[in-house]
Amino acid sequence: MHRSRLCAIGIDVPADQFDATAAFWAGALGRTPSREPADDPYIDLGRHDPPQVFVQLIGEPSRRLHLDIETDDLEAEVARLEQLGATKVTYIEAGWWILRDPAGNLFCVVPVIHDDFPGSATEWS
Amino acid sequence: MHRSRLCAIGIDVPADQFDATAAFWAGALGRTPSREPADDPYIDLGRHDPPQVFVQLIGEPSRRLHLDIETDDLEAEVARLEQLGATKVTYIEAGWWILRDPAGNLFCVVPVIHDDFPGSATEWS
């Protein structure tokens, strides 16, 4: 018998995007980045509420992973993320936004979808 | 004031890899895939223990997200995932494996790293 579980999500970037990407995601997720030792190739952004995992069919001959950020104020959250360096890609009529982080990774900002929101969500004012 | 949090991880694939990718990750994570309605572009694999998020510096001019699977028996877990269709990429001397899922996404299998293991880990026999 052995055991296993999903335990982490890595955001992998080259050296010239490392600090900017860590700063963006620390800001986006409301976490203090932690790096030890100072030349470690990892910057930790802590642990997070239980995420949903899903497989999505996309209309392109490519593949990727993406993160979703859940919020109770879509426009305010998208504006906050743009100030951190994200760029808008497209608004989906069903009610969410697709953006890119500074390194180019796509991610979504979605309205509240899980019953346990806000969980440990960060409050922004 | 508004609130936000990380809420989901999407594995995005084209149509010809949709079913195989969902079957692989359902098996890898020990979940029953759920798709409603039957032509939905999403297959849900449920919610998971609180994952760590980290930014990783890689020695390539590319970027991507990747998942980590945590286990108390590295070799048994890698063998189980290979039977599901994963392929080995490389063993990292620090003690973990890099693999690819059937769609080509890189992921890691790592020894126990979080104090709350096994949490809701799946038991395999």
Side-chain angles (χ1 to χ4, degrees):
Chain A
M1 185 277 290
H2 77 280
R3 295 170 294 197
S4 68
R5 64 174 183 174
L6 175 69
C7 77
I9 307 161
I11 301 169
D12 308 326
V13 289
D16 61 353
Q17 296 178 309
F18 188 46
D19 291 335
T21 302
F24 173 78
W25 281 105
L29 300 174
R31 301 301 175 103
T32 302
S34 165
R35 189 182 187 191
E36 268 182 59
D39 61 351
D40 202 47
Y42 303 99
I43 294 177
D44 180 26
L45 300 179
R47 296 186 69 186
H48 293 261
D49 284 328
Q52 179 188 11
V53 175
F54 62 88
V55 179
Q56 178 178 217
L57 190 160
I58 56 172
E60 314 161 31
S62 58
R63 53 158 175 78
R64 59 179 171 256
L65 270 61
H66 80 265
L67 301 181
D68 282 357
I69 292 177
E70 182 180 31
T71 182
D72 53 8
D73 188 332
L74 195 70
E75 293 309 315
E77 180 67 1
V78 168
R80 189 184 71 81
L81 293 163
E82 285 186 287
Q83 288 189 325
L84 290 172
T87 51
K88 284 178 176 172
V89 175
T90 189
Y91 178 73
I92 304 296
E93 289 300 325
W96 72 89
W97 271 98
I98 301 175
L99 293 90
R100 282 189 191 278
D101 76 5
N105 295 299
L106 294 171
F107 67 100
C108 297
V109 183
V110 303
V112 172
I113 55 176
H114 290 140
D115 290 343
D116 64 342
F117 190 92
S120 60
T122 303
E123 279 193 19
W124 310 102
S125 55
Chain B
M1 185 278 291
H2 78 280
R3 296 169 293 198
S4 68
R5 65 175 182 173
L6 175 69
C7 77
I9 307 160
I11 302 169
D12 308 326
V13 290
D16 61 353
Q17 296 178 309
F18 189 45
D19 292 333
T21 303
F24 173 78
W25 281 104
L29 300 174
R31 301 302 175 103
T32 301
S34 166
R35 189 183 188 191
E36 270 182 60
D39 62 350
D40 202 48
Y42 303 98
I43 294 177
D44 180 26
L45 300 178
R47 296 185 70 186
H48 293 261
D49 284 329
Q52 179 187 11
V53 175
F54 62 88
V55 179
Q56 178 179 217
L57 190 161
I58 56 172
E60 313 161 31
S62 58
R63 54 158 173 78
R64 59 179 171 257
L65 272 59
H66 80 265
L67 301 182
D68 282 357
I69 292 176
E70 183 180 32
T71 182
D72 54 8
D73 188 332
L74 195 70
E75 293 309 316
E77 180 67 1
V78 168
R80 188 184 72 81
L81 293 163
E82 286 186 287
Q83 287 189 325
L84 290 172
T87 52
K88 284 178 176 173
V89 175
T90 189
Y91 178 73
I92 305 295
E93 288 300 324
W96 71 89
W97 270 100
I98 301 175
L99 293 90
R100 283 190 191 275
D101 76 5
N105 295 299
L106 293 171
F107 67 101
C108 298
V109 182
V110 303
V112 173
I113 55 175
H114 291 139
D115 290 343
D116 64 342
F117 190 91
S120 59
T122 303
E123 279 193 19
W124 310 101
S125 55

